[in-house]
Amino acid sequence: MNAATASSGLHPASGIVTQGYMYAQHPQQQNALAQSKGSDAKYQNQALYARAGGSAAVSGAASGSYGAAPSAGNVAGTTGVHVSSNAGGQAMADGDSEALYQLMVELFSATNREQALAELSRRRDQNPDLGVALWNAYGVMTILYQEIIAIYPLLNPPALTMSVSNRVCNSLALLQLVATHEQTRMQLLKANVPQLLYPFLSTTSKVKQYDNLRLTSLGVIGALVKYDNREVISFFVVTEFLPLCLKIMDIGSELCKVVATFIFQKIIIDDGGFQYVTSNPKRLHTVLVILNNVVNQMVTMPSGRLLKSVTKCLIRLADNQEAKEKMQEGLSEHLRDSTFAHVLAEDVSYRRLIYQLLVKLT
């Protein structure tokens, strides 16, 4: 999918054609949004949400944290406010809401955007409804799409700097909030937004800036699949995400392998995903070879998290008779011998999983 295809289409919340808006924002609109001060700032910030929601202006927002990122904390509290039906969620305390509104306004300024993205990403664990606010704020999602698509030319040949990678990762972290929230998750999926991330997942450079890009992109997809929704799984099967996922499982860094294997596990837990993998002998063979490769690569540097995810995948695949027979013949010996004895000794849950797998294969 090229950049032109990825950027075209109508964003359901903003009501704008992204391809036209992405590269031709009106200077007057940028200035009007970026120059908000005092009471005018409050009016403009709330107007941003009124335009997104269609009828009622937001008069407050909710303070707290949402478990979209690994470091998410507990919800701090909420206060009741009136919001539009599209904006959804509860509201943040006035102080936080004004700061967040202003940061979203600053996204429209080319000068302030990078800092605004970084600050919004830093605060993502503190505000449970930030994902909803981002989705419904007029033009904000288009800006995130623009940030993502703009670096496509830097992927091949590799020319991505760490600063540019960090900037895009901040955009992806905000996208993960949208993917996690129950009110926006399916809208994001139906807009085919995850496909914008596939070019990042297809990169093979192992330098840190590309690895960070792959890991954060996988985080967005992991946020979508973790809720075991059949429509979500079907989307990733139909859009041919699995080859990208398997490649990362095979050659990615440890953290990327962990997240990619978790996503693959979620896909095959679903009956549709399981059928897709096991119905084609060549595809099934490829999957089993890669899972064996992942195990063999951990001989020198074992990872308990990754071992458990791989074992769960093998247990699920053993529900298919052909896969079971292949594993009986070709399962990595490292799962049968004492290679990972220290992991078995330290982790009771892994001992149970490996015992379940071996019993299933007898």
Side-chain angles (χ1 to χ4, degrees):
M1 180 173 57
N2 58 36
T5 303
S7 62
S8 62
L10 186 69
H11 186 281
S14 64
I16 55 177
V17 178
T18 59
Q19 189 172 16
Y21 185 80
M22 183 170 296
Y23 300 104
Q25 292 180 10
H26 198 286
Q28 292 180 346
Q29 182 186 33
Q30 291 185 0
N31 293 337
L33 287 167
Q35 294 175 355
S36 54
K37 297 180 180 179
S39 60
D40 289 340
K42 182 174 183 178
Y43 174 79
Q44 289 184 12
N45 291 336
Q46 293 180 357
L48 190 67
Y49 287 87
R51 294 178 72 183
S55 58
V58 177
S59 59
S63 169
S65 64
Y66 195 80
S71 59
N74 296 322
V75 174
T78 58
T79 57
V81 295
H82 298 291
V83 296
S84 69
S85 57
N86 286 340
Q90 295 190 353
M92 292 169 248
D94 286 342
D96 283 348
S97 69
E98 285 305 308
L100 288 172
Y101 295 162
Q102 185 59 38
L103 286 171
M104 279 186 267
V105 167
E106 290 176 0
L107 291 175
F108 288 85
S109 164
T111 304
N112 300 333
R113 183 180 299 174
E114 183 173 3
Q115 183 59 37
L117 285 169
E119 187 64 19
L120 283 167
S121 177
R122 186 182 69 82
R123 298 187 182 204
R124 68 187 185 274
D125 297 339
Q126 303 171 4
N127 303 283
D129 294 317
L130 181 55
V132 180
L134 291 167
W135 179 261
N136 287 287
Y138 189 91
V140 167
M141 290 302 298
T142 301
I143 289 172
L144 297 184
Y145 304 155
Q146 179 184 5
E147 290 292 309
I148 291 168
I149 292 170
I151 70 160
Y152 283 177
L154 305 179
L155 301 180
N156 190 20
L160 191 65
T161 64
M162 183 59 75
S163 62
V164 173
S165 175
N166 288 341
R167 175 169 172 160
V168 179
C169 286
N170 285 331
S171 299
L172 292 172
L174 298 179
L175 207 61
Q176 184 174 342
L177 291 181
V178 180
T180 303
H181 203 287
E182 61 180 358
Q183 294 185 31
T184 52
R185 186 184 312 136
M186 296 310 298
Q187 296 181 66
L188 187 78
L189 192 77
K190 290 175 181 178
N192 295 320
V193 173
Q195 286 184 279
L196 295 179
L197 312 185
Y198 289 6
F200 300 160
L201 299 177
S202 67
T203 59
T204 56
S205 174
K206 294 189 177 182
V207 295
K208 188 174 181 180
Q209 52 263 43
Y210 288 91
D211 189 63
N212 288 348
L213 202 59
R214 288 189 293 268
L215 181 61
T216 317
S217 299
L218 287 169
V220 176
I221 295 172
L224 287 167
V225 303
K226 68 185 290 186
Y227 298 100
D228 300 322
N229 183 296
R230 178 161 294 181
E231 187 176 350
V232 172
I233 301 303
S234 177
F235 173 88
F236 288 112
V237 169
V238 169
T239 58
E240 299 184 357
F241 163 76
L242 273 176
L244 298 173
C245 184
L246 290 169
K247 184 187 72 173
I248 293 173
M249 289 166 59
D250 193 21
I251 67 172
S253 65
E254 179 188 338
L255 279 176
C256 283
K257 286 175 183 284
V258 169
V259 181
T261 307
F262 165 79
I263 294 170
F264 179 73
Q265 175 196 334
K266 285 294 186 179
I267 289 173
I268 62 174
I269 284 175
D270 178 82
D271 289 340
F274 181 77
Q275 177 66 21
Y276 175 80
V277 169
T278 58
S279 61
N280 184 299
K282 186 176 180 180
R283 188 180 299 130
L284 176 60
H285 174 76
T286 300
V287 166
L288 292 175
V289 167
I290 288 176
L291 289 172
N292 265 350
N293 288 346
V294 175
V295 172
N296 295 336
Q297 290 164 11
M298 284 189 284
V299 172
T300 56
M301 192 175 295
S303 165
R305 292 180 300 176
L306 188 53
L307 272 171
K308 285 194 283 188
S309 289
V310 170
T311 306
K312 288 176 182 178
C313 291
L314 292 170
I315 290 171
R316 173 57 170 153
L317 290 171
D319 290 336
N320 175 268
Q321 185 60 33
E322 182 180 354
K324 180 178 179 179
E325 292 172 0
K326 287 180 178 294
M327 281 189 278
Q328 287 171 334
E329 298 173 1
L331 183 69
S332 174
E333 288 300 321
H334 298 302
L335 291 177
R336 302 179 188 271
D337 60 25
S338 60
T339 301
F340 303 117
H342 64 289
V343 180
L344 289 167
E346 296 171 358
D347 194 328
V348 175
S349 62
Y350 178 62
R351 286 207 300 272
R352 291 171 180 165
L353 286 171
I354 200 68
Y355 176 77
Q356 182 182 350
L357 173 64
L358 296 178
V359 167
K360 205 166 188 177
L361 294 180
T362 55

